[in-house]
Amino acid sequence: MIIVAGTPGAGKTSVMTHTIKQLLNKGNKPAVVKIDCLYTDDDARYGKLKIPTLVGLSKDMCPDHFAIYNLEEMAEWAEKEGVDTLIIETAGLCHRCAPYTKNSLGICVIDATSGPNTPRKVGPFLTSADVVAITKGDIISQAEREVFRERVLEMNPKCTIYDVNGLSGQGCAEISEEIMEAKDIVDLENEELRHNAPLCVCTLCVGETKVAKKHHRGVLRRIDGFTKYIGE
Amino acid sequence: MNIEEIKIIGGFNKFGESEKVTELVVKRGEIFGVVGPTGSGKSNLISDIEQLAQGDTPSNRKILVNGKVPDVEMRRDPRKRRIAQLSQNMNFLADMTVEEFLIMHAKSRGMNSEGIVDRVIELANKLTGEPIEKDYNLTILSGGQSRSLMVADVAVISDSPIVLIDEIENAGIKKHEALELLAGCGKIVMVITHDPVLALMTTRRVVMRNGGMTEIIETTEEEKEVSQRLSEIDSWMLSMREKVRHGEKLNLKDIETPAVSGN
């Protein structure tokens, strides 16, 4: 199982379509699930590759949470389709969680033009990834590319970094190799997340719109750093 | 490892036909030119070399270093990379000061950053009009300042045996000085240029068309003479450009007798 996360517009789908072409050339049979919030036409892009494609729209729920809650369904679907590799691409919202599970291959796609401070701002989907694909490096200077890479390594010293071009597909051959070598999840029932989801179960999460303090329930964190739980 | 030569093994052009130039070897100490109309694939050739492509880019070219396939680490890790590239893309997006950026870059290249910031800025300021200060934010630098900083960065921090330069003439900086600074001694230098002065400063040049290498031209003795004359005209132009820059007026006398010494 491969889980792909990344900042919006970084080029996750472009990187994955090139990578999937490489997988198909190598005789691997992949399927893709695209998780998005409100809208996607990426299934049409994946559909062109003539591989099983499924879309999940999380609507007003966090797409990463939605992806995690539906892992078993997705795995069952992939099994029925008789594929070798299941690729789950999730949109991500706040970048405070990492949808990767311990035995999946976690791929983070991040855009070099977003500036070298971005790796410090995006949290566990970068810091707990196995593979980091840096896109759009061709539109900045070599020096800036190297500085960006250094920042990624500061945040995640263990990851393998690939410079990837989403337009030409350069660099995707290496990512397809990583996917071919990724281990299988043998016991999905006991599979765990690599990093906990953000601490934010509150009344707003379930639809409360009133803003005053007296309506707040759940895990509440104030701007002065005070954290408490109100509720049963 | 001393890099004595790089070999480019031709791949395909934009139409999927084999490149006419099937093999190109550039040796240490050589300044090699890349010419061709816009869109002919010059930058792609340079980026194939920068990535040490092994048939995995759209052109399908392969790059050998000292006759051998370079190891994966050399391709991937900037600390082991022996290639410095000065690309056309000179707009800084990094929200940091010049000093922070240079220290980070030195770190990414595994260098001790002591004294480096001052050295890079001093060199950069020799190439550009308005001086750069180390506490300037990168994003406010002008085109000429950015380019100068990058040239100096390549000369000091990414000081590498292979130097790739993409259209330095568009920089609005002193291109001769920049090229001299970058070429150093005993390096392999490849320079993309439309500028006849720079093109004729090279020993050989490859002609690009439709994404493929089509021909290699050796710079003739006659061309070297042409180059000499063009340099004179160029420095004459430059002297007038400087006058305009400094708010002086030009008159007809200025163009009657080219000032050979220039500047």
Side-chain angles (χ1 to χ4, degrees), chain A residues 113 115-117 138-147 149-151 153-154 160-162 168 170 174, chain B residues 50-51 57-58 76 78-79 83-85 87 89 91-96 101 104-105 107-109 150:
Chain A
T113 65
N117 288 328
D138 57 323
I139 30 188
I140 57 174
S141 66
Q142 186 192 36
E144 208 167 342
R145 233 171 13 246
E146 289 174 3
V147 166
R149 183 196 167 91
E150 192 61 27
R151 264 288 150 74
L153 282 176
E154 278 180 5
T160 315
I161 298 180
Y162 296 101
S168 71
Q170 177 253 318
E174 279 106 332
Chain B
E50 201 244 340
Q51 291 152 16
T57 61
R76 210 176 283 160
R79 288 186 185 85
I83 303 173
Q85 187 196 17
S87 59
N89 305 311
N91 299 315
F92 282 110
L93 302 162
D95 187 14
M96 329 179 145
F101 183 79
M104 276 290 281
H105 192 210
K107 191 181 163 210
S108 80
R109 285 258 173 177
M150 280 297 87

